[in-house]
Amino acid sequence: MAAIWVHEFADCITCHSWSPDESMIAFCPNNSEVHIYRLLDDKWDKLYVLQKHDQIVSGIDWSARSNKIVTVSHDRNSYVWNKEGAEWVPTLVILRLNRAALCVQWSPKENKFAVGSGAKTVCICYYEQENNWWVSKLIRKRHESSVTSVAWHPNNVRILLASEKLFCYKILLATTSTDGKCRVFSTFIKGIDTKDSRAGASADTKFGEQIIQLDLSISWSFGVKWSPSGNTLAYVGHNSMIYFVDDVGPSPSAQSVALRDLPLRDVLFISEKVVIGVGFDCNPMVFSVDETGLWHPLTMLAHIPGPIPLAGIESGSFRTFLRFLGERRSASSGVKSGSQFSEAFGKFYGQSKNGSSNDETSKGHGVHNNCINCILPLKRAGDSPLFRFSTSGLDGKVAVWDLQGQEDLREFL
């Protein structure tokens, strides 16, 4: 098992985030509060309770360099919390939303953050020194439903060659939505974002310009993430599919994986070759590309006949699903399709008995026993590739996982 520790903080956790030195954790216990704990002498002590929201806190992000916490809530509000002395002091964020705020993420430079909402909009927020508040510019035109997740390109400012002497500056943000689409936008804001003076002549890009729209999913989409290089984009669908898009731009290529089990909710790139997915199956799932660069499904996956129609994008290829992390292996390694079919029925008709069993090994679940809805990287200075990550779920648990001891994954890391 790859989990190195597990702690149950509450009955349910909606989201969590770590302090820059990973000594403290902030999470929402499925209410309007944010609890901050510190590990002292092998015991988690509650240090702070942030109380400003009126409804469930749906997103938390703790900045790695500036030590600021941003929170968003179903009450349509957002606050940026600064540590002043022994207290966390909130600063107002002007979101201008008429529906719930659903997700949030700091940009790599931490001068902005993005908020996805149920109002079919994305708020790009930045600080106004003279008024001591955070204001927002809205991307409102493209989304047809709620924005479920946001992800900044890891390079923050991506320079796209438009001609031999002309560069375009596009600070890219990827989003997913319950309209089933994944989109990438330019979020360059004059006066907030800076250009590289060494690049020569440049052309301004319009804020909110849509770079690409991906119509791969036929259901709700969640959990979009970029690879470390920013060359690959991954997101998941509520139809038990995960999608990979390489070379995001004018001529991207798309790959799809059909899962054997329940849908995912979030993903994380461990490296350019390895992706971790989490969701309703309660165990992290490991995906990898093979050594030839070709995407092949294992027999446990449902193969989709023919490519998924997508104008201008090569599709229909697959990545490889390796296995669940922490799953209990059965005595028989040769699982036939009939037993898989029975197992699927058991998920719907026999799941309730998991909660009544006192024997953890007989539960069919691993570390978590309810949906995992959040996965975050844990990376110390000098760590390359990423080996550790944390997960939290509706069971109120937070788990930290370490892949260094996984011999069968070593060749992919």
Side-chain angles (χ1 to χ4, degrees):
M1 182 176 294
I4 57 177
W5 70 259
V6 185
H7 187 78
E8 186 170 351
F9 287 96
D11 292 333
C12 180
I13 292 178
T14 57
C15 51
H16 78 283
S17 189
W18 293 90
S19 64
D21 61 359
E22 300 175 8
S23 64
M24 293 186 287
I25 184 172
F27 65 88
C28 170
N30 199 36
N31 57 23
S32 60
E33 300 175 346
V34 174
H35 294 187
I36 299 178
Y37 280 70
R38 180 191 289 272
L39 184 62
L40 296 171
D41 299 326
D42 296 327
K43 180 182 178 182
W44 287 99
D45 292 334
K46 185 190 295 185
L47 299 183
Y48 307 98
V49 177
L50 308 185
Q51 296 175 310
K52 193 67 176 178
H53 291 286
D54 297 325
Q55 296 182 30
I56 289 177
V57 175
S58 50
I60 304 171
D61 198 15
W62 200 326
S63 62
R65 291 184 292 179
S66 58
N67 197 36
K68 291 182 172 65
I69 300 174
V70 59
T71 60
V72 297
S73 168
H74 291 179
D75 62 8
R76 303 172 295 170
N77 291 321
S78 173
Y79 296 95
V80 175
W81 303 79
N82 297 274
K83 186 73 179 299
E84 297 182 5
E87 299 295 330
W88 287 93
V89 179
T91 303
L92 179 65
V93 181
I94 311 298
L95 289 183
R96 298 179 292 157
L97 293 177
N98 59 4
R99 295 291 187 276
L102 301 178
C103 53
V104 64
Q105 188 182 56
W106 285 103
S107 69
K109 287 188 176 180
E110 299 180 5
N111 60 336
K112 302 187 297 185
F113 59 88
V115 178
S117 74
K120 308 179 185 179
T121 61
V122 178
C123 305
I124 307 299
C125 306
Y126 57 93
Y127 185 65
E128 276 194 353
Q129 183 75 40
E130 56 273 18
N131 294 317
N132 190 31
W133 61 22
W134 292 75
V135 297
S136 62
K137 292 191 70 173
L138 271 58
I139 302 174
R140 2 169 138 250
K141 294 183 179 180
R142 297 293 182 176
H143 296 97
E144 300 172 2
S145 191
S146 299
V147 179
T148 56
S149 64
V150 294
W152 294 91
H153 190 279
N155 294 340
N156 201 64
V157 177
R158 188 179 183 185
I159 304 175
L160 301 177
L161 183 61
S163 68
E164 292 185 359
K165 298 182 179 180
L166 188 62
F167 289 82
C168 294
Y169 289 83
K170 301 176 186 289
I171 300 182
L172 301 184
L173 179 77
T175 68
T176 52
S177 171
T178 50
D179 62 11
K181 297 176 176 60
C182 176
R183 300 173 174 88
V184 178
F185 296 95
S186 170
T187 63
F188 187 90
I189 300 177
K190 292 182 180 180
I192 303 299
D193 301 305
T194 58
K195 300 177 182 178
D196 187 354
S197 60
R198 299 170 296 176
S202 64
D204 293 330
T205 58
K206 185 178 179 181
F207 173 85
E209 176 188 353
Q210 181 173 286
I211 308 302
I212 192 172
Q213 176 175 298
L214 303 167
D215 300 324
L216 297 171
S217 179
I218 59 173
S219 63
W220 300 341
S221 297
F222 299 98
V224 63
K225 290 293 192 307
W226 295 92
S227 65
S229 67
N231 293 329
T232 303
L233 193 66
Y235 68 101
V236 299
H238 206 57
N239 55 346
S240 290
M241 297 284 290
I242 179 170
Y243 306 98
F244 297 87
V245 182
D246 296 310
D247 302 321
V248 175
S251 302
S253 60
Q255 303 87 32
S256 305
V257 171
L259 308 181
R260 69 180 186 183
D261 292 298
L262 301 180
L264 299 175
R265 282 298 309 271
D266 204 357
V267 294
L268 174 68
F269 277 90
I270 297 298
S271 67
E272 294 294 326
K273 293 184 176 181
V274 177
V275 169
I276 306 293
V278 296
F280 291 94
D281 263 303
C282 312
N283 287 303
M285 302 170 66
V286 185
F287 299 86
S288 179
V289 58
D290 64 23
E291 66 280 359
T292 66
L294 299 176
W295 316 119
H296 302 285
L298 297 184
T299 56
M300 65 182 67
L301 293 180
H303 183 82
I304 297 180
I308 300 175
L310 182 62
I313 296 182
E314 178 187 352
S315 60
S317 53
F318 289 81
R319 292 187 180 238
T320 301
F321 168 69
L322 295 181
R323 64 177 175 86
F324 286 104
L325 282 182
E327 74 174 341
R328 182 173 61 88
R329 297 182 182 272
S330 61
S332 174
S333 59
V335 180
K336 297 184 181 297
S337 59
S339 61
Q340 289 188 22
F341 186 78
S342 301
E343 180 186 354
F345 269 91
K347 287 184 178 297
F348 293 98
Y349 296 106
Q351 199 84 296
S352 60
K353 63 185 177 184
N354 290 335
S356 61
S357 173
N358 293 324
D359 183 4
E360 289 293 328
T361 62
S362 67
K363 286 187 177 183
H365 291 304
V367 173
H368 290 280
N369 52 27
N370 207 332
C371 173
I372 304 174
N373 53 12
C374 185
I375 180 171
L376 295 175
L378 294 173
K379 189 170 185 178
R380 298 188 181 98
D383 282 357
S384 182
L386 173 68
F387 288 108
R388 299 185 310 128
F389 61 92
S390 66
T391 57
S392 64
L394 302 183
D395 56 0
K397 296 178 183 177
V398 175
V400 172
W401 306 76
D402 193 341
L403 300 180
Q404 278 190 296
Q406 302 295 307
E407 295 297 332
D408 55 343
L409 301 181
R410 187 175 298 276
E411 63 178 295
F412 299 98
L413 298 176

